[in-house]
Amino acid sequence: MAEKETYFFRATDMQMVEMFLSQECAYECVKELGELGLIQFIDLEKGTNLFQRSFVPELKRADEMERRLRYLAAEINAEGIKVPIEYEIPPAPNSTATESDLETMIGTLEDELKEVKKNLTALRNSYVDLMELKQTLIAADIFFRKGSGSLWSVPTNSYSLEEGDEGGRLHFITGVIDRDKVGTFERVIWRSCRGNVFVKTVEIKDEMTDPDSGEIVEKNVFICFFQGNQLEQRVKKICDGMSCRVYPCSEKTSRRHEVRDQVTTRLAEMEDVICQTQEHRTQQLKDIAVDIRSWIVKVKKWRSIYYTMSKFNVNDTRTGFIAEGWVRTCDLENVKQALKRGATTSGSVVMPILNTVGSSMPPPTYHPTNKITKGYQVIIDAYGVATYQEINPAIFTVITFPFLFGIMFGDMAHGLFLFLFGAWFIYKESYFDLRKHLLDEIISMLYHGRYIIMMMGIFASYSGFLYNEIYSKGVDIFGSSWRMPNDDQTYTSSDSVTLDPKYDYGPPYYYGIDPMWILSENKLTYLNSYKMKLSVILGLSQMTFGLFISLSNYRYFGRVLDIWFTFIPQLIFLECIIGYMCFLIFYKWFFVDAGKSNPSILITMIDMFLSIGSGIDSDDKFYEGQELVQLCLVIIALCMVPIMFAAKPLIEKYQRNKDVADYEALSYDSDDEDLEEREKAEQAAELDIWVNQGIHTIEFCLGVISNTASYLRLWALSLAHSELSEVLWDMTMYYAFEWLDWDEGGCILLIFIFAAWAALTVSILLCMEGLSAFLHALRLHWVEFQNKFYDGNGYKFLPFSFSLILENEENLEEISAI
């Protein structure tokens, strides 16, 4: 049978294999298996320390190469160089020589880039120093020009000189300081020098760049005038403490102009050198950017091969390796061919050996998926990976999940928006596939769920058509079946008319809700009753379907006791209570005349258990013989509880006792101590069985009621969505159409009102309500549906595959490709 037919509902058949690989061909064989991605290797060295395994030197070399590549990627991103998105994925290295060549090349490139960066940083620091010196000289000219004729002839008695200071002549210090430190610098100078230092600053207009961080910084030139050596030393210490750069400045104007000309010449020369160095570095990074993705892929593949080989056992003669793993049965021949190709490529004389072996370990679970079913499979696996060979609920979730969402989100317009949103992602698949490593987390989540969103939109539109709602308004598609009474009375727009369905209702409306109900005063009463009953019916249908799926699992695994004492009692218990309630719903719809009597289904179900055997009033009775039917159903349901709880454990205990008796009859050397220990273990195991069975029985019996009540969220969410949509319309668009004066700017105001209504619709109804309905549909599947049959105790089949490894590669995400 074809794989598509065999594994549609259940996991792919798995087979444990054992491989014997010689040292010459081990690398090439693992490389071929990695390209195919067909085998999940088992770690045979699980108890061994990582540093005591084989191939530790090769793994350390691979880690060092990955570190170097991360450095190169960071430098490329820092320069803002675009990396090609499309690139050809290279194969894994074939030989040790290729590995050494790649390792040497990456190391050489890193060393060259570090040396160029170091030189470039030194050049930029020198350039900044010269630029600051030039600005200092320019500022000094301004200072001295403004103070000419008075600055140098200040009388000494105008300053309060400290004792021991050399009076007579002023000295000065010039330098550069960060602009945000100027105020602090002036206060510290004033306080520490007791006002004996005159400080003047001027802003540097040109932009200054920090060589280390590359950020633009604002700086000022300062000049400090003082008398005496003590003040000079004190000012220099303050400058050092506040990271000020002090530059020499001559008192003579001619000397300052000469130095400034020399600095200007050196700045021009240094700009050329920096520009050439930067161009060389940029070109080097551009050349690296072309191949860096390929290098990352090669190193990642090389490392993964050696990491996988470190899981192998070395044989007794230390001439080869022993490996074990899980393979899909249908891929055994492909694995054999891959091993054969690896041995041929390596030139090994000893061919690898592949044997299928038995195992006590449970096999991994693998369900083939496509673009449509992958998102639903992720939802199921988030709850728990299916136990090997149990039915995969993702197949049914493809339909039931968007359908339940649509029931809660029913609106033709809102569903259409969701459909178009998902369809747009599908249309742009090729664009997003190339950039999926660069997507934002939320955008990535929406993109991977694009088919779910599209199908949710389809079912939401379908439910909206069923409810006859578009923005909470009805649409008269087929023409209302209600008609005005023939009583020759004239009605006005303010009159309230009661329509009797016996006389004022024609043929049934073709599909869904009659649009006249949207206008009626008892709209909520009617729709609440309709949607509430619909929720209970859908809940019973899905829970019953879940029980029949459990029947299929029991039959597949040969669990006969579970069929007779779990499935059948559970089904009878569920149908006797909730099934009977759904029967009353349909009976009331088709056979009860509301004009004569209107019995309550809820009161009937409560009295069914609280008033067992008592009579039923004629106004509350649905049919003749109702008391006897309900009494029988309650008795049958109650009888199912002890069957679910005790039947299976008692039969299993009988079978165990019989097996033990047969074993003891054949055993002649039984030890009393061994028998006593075995009896204690059997008693503990039996107690666990009873406790586990009791928990499951109580959970199911209570769950029949609680799970049914939980399905009422379909009604509650649908009601909330409809009412929110109506409120938004009435408070915005209805107000605009009803009260705005179109001759006095009403059209302009309508634009803003429409924008507010659209924004609230998207944010509240589409986003918030959509997320709420999604989570509630998720809960209904995980709790109410899957707990009827789904164990979810398996683990995923994760084969050794280069494509899976590269899909989660972080280094590729770090490289800017925009």
Side-chain angles (χ1 to χ4, degrees), residues 425 428-429 432-433 439 443-450:
F425 271 116
K428 302 288 287 185
E429 269 186 3
F432 285 105
D433 280 339
L439 297 178
I443 300 300
S444 177
M445 179 180 62
L446 292 175
Y447 171 67
H448 287 96
R450 58 195 181 278

Side-chain angles (χ1 to χ4, degrees), residues 716-754:
L717 267 292
S718 175
L719 174 65
H721 186 82
S722 176
E723 291 303 305
L724 275 174
S725 179
E726 184 175 357
V727 168
L728 285 180
W729 179 271
D730 290 343
M731 295 185 67
T732 53
M733 300 303 295
Y734 177 81
Y735 169 80
F737 291 132
E738 187 73 16
W739 300 104
L740 287 183
D741 190 348
W742 304 105
D743 298 331
E744 298 182 2
C747 296
I748 298 176
L749 186 58
L750 178 63
I751 296 175
F752 295 99
I753 295 177
F754 175 79

Side-chain angles (χ1 to χ4, degrees), residues 150 416 458 465 520 530 545 579 632 644:
S150 60
L416 178 62
I458 293 174
F465 186 61
S520 63
Y530 168 74
F545 181 59
C632 294
M644 286 187 284

Side-chain angles (χ1 to χ4, degrees), residues 133-151:
L133 176 57
K134 180 181 178 181
Q135 295 294 332
T136 302
L137 294 172
I138 295 174
D141 284 341
I142 298 175
F143 292 145
F144 293 140
R145 191 182 306 116
K146 289 182 179 180
S148 177
S150 60
L151 187 59

